[in-house]
Each structure stands twice: as C-alpha cells, then as structure tokens.
C-alpha cells in the first residue's frame, strides 16, 4: 500500500486503528462504535485467557512427590493467578469504559474535560485522563509515594 504510515498497519485486538476524516466531529457515533468494538474484542481475549488458565490449572495439577517439583508448580500457578487477577481488574475497567461510551461521556478527561484524543485512546482505550492530567497525576504520585 503506497503512502500508508506505520500506524495505519498496526491492529489492536484484531481491529484496525480509526482514521478520522478531516473535520470529523470528535467522538461521533462511528468513533464511539469503533472503541466499543475494540473494548469488546479486548474483553473477549481476556475472558478466553481466563478459560485457558482454568483448564491449565485443572489439567496440570499434580501432587509431585519431590518438594522442589511441587514448589515449582505452585510458583507457576501463583504467577498465573496473579496475572489473571490483574486481568480481572482490567475487565472491570473495560466494563466501566463501555458504560462511559453508552452514557456519551467517553473520550473526555475526567479531570479537566478536554478531549483525550483518538491516538491516545487507540493506545489505551480505557484512558480516562488526557496526557497533561495523567502526567501531573504521575508527578503527584511520585512526590507522595517516593
């Protein structure tokens, strides 16, 4: 494809990035539908991974006589369960983001109300802060926590 940039070729969760037309209104129904489909595809992938993990834990569970083998298996299962817990939290965030789309509030910063931007939402569809507010939030977090 001539004249296509690298960003045009990147596909997230099987869905091509949205290419707004010149002068297109921000968060119009087509954009909302694009991000809704993107979030649903991402959620579907996460749910499939949960199913695979449950099958793996059931199939691979064994009572090894060797304590080192048993400890290795327990550590592997522990890492998988921690990963699934993070994904469970992400699924909740995806669900709340889908609710924002339904309410018509998606794509705008929770703090200052400005447009988050298509490119940022493509990179992180669950973003609720614009780049400036997120940067300030991270600086505050470093100062308090660090």
């Amino acid at each position: 494809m001539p004249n296509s940039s690298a960003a045009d070729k990147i596909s997230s969760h099987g869905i091509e990035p949205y290419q707004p037309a010149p002068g297109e209104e921000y968060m119009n129904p087509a954009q909302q539908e694009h991000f809704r489909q993107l979030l649903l595809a991402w959620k579907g992938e996460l749910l499939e991974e949960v199913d695979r993990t449950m099958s793996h834990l059931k199939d691979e569970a064994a009572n090894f006589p060797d304590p080192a083998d048993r400890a290795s298996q327990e550590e592997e299962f522990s890492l998988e369960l921690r990963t699934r817990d993070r994904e469970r939290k992400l699924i909740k965030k995806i669900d709340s983001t889908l609710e924002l789309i339904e309410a018509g509030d998606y794509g705008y910063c929770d703090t200052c109300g400005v447009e988050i931007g298509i490119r940022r939402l493509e990179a992180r569809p669950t973003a609720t802060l614009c780049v400036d507010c997120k940067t300030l939030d991270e600086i505050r977090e470093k100062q308090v926590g660090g």
Side-chain angles (χ1 to χ4, degrees), residues 58-81:
K58 288 177 186 173
D59 296 344
E60 298 298 318
N63 192 6
F64 291 109
D66 180 36
D69 290 341
R70 194 167 40 247
S72 292
Q73 182 184 49
E74 287 176 14
E75 182 63 23
E76 176 190 333
F77 286 179
S78 175
L79 288 171
E80 276 194 56
L81 291 173

Side-chain angles (χ1 to χ4, degrees), residues 15-96:
I15 297 178
E16 294 300 317
Y18 188 84
Q19 297 299 320
E24 184 177 336
E25 181 184 346
Y26 183 71
M27 275 307 128
N28 62 47
Q31 291 177 8
Q32 290 178 358
E33 181 60 19
H34 167 77
F35 286 107
R36 191 174 78 72
Q37 292 301 322
L38 181 64
L39 289 161
L40 289 172
W42 192 10
K43 181 179 176 181
E45 289 173 10
L46 292 170
L47 291 172
E48 285 177 18
E49 195 60 38
V50 167
D51 290 342
R52 272 195 294 272
T53 297
M54 293 306 294
S55 296
H56 174 71
L57 292 177
K58 288 177 186 173
D59 296 344
E60 298 298 318
N63 192 6
F64 291 109
D66 180 36
D69 290 341
R70 194 167 40 247
S72 292
Q73 182 184 49
E74 287 176 14
E75 182 63 23
E76 176 190 333
F77 286 179
S78 175
L79 288 171
E80 276 194 56
L81 291 173
R82 261 187 283 172
T83 300
R84 295 307 149 250
D85 187 51
R86 283 194 302 272
E87 289 173 350
R88 179 187 56 81
K89 291 174 185 172
L90 181 55
I91 289 170
K92 282 184 181 181
K93 192 165 186 175
I94 290 170
D95 287 339
S96 67

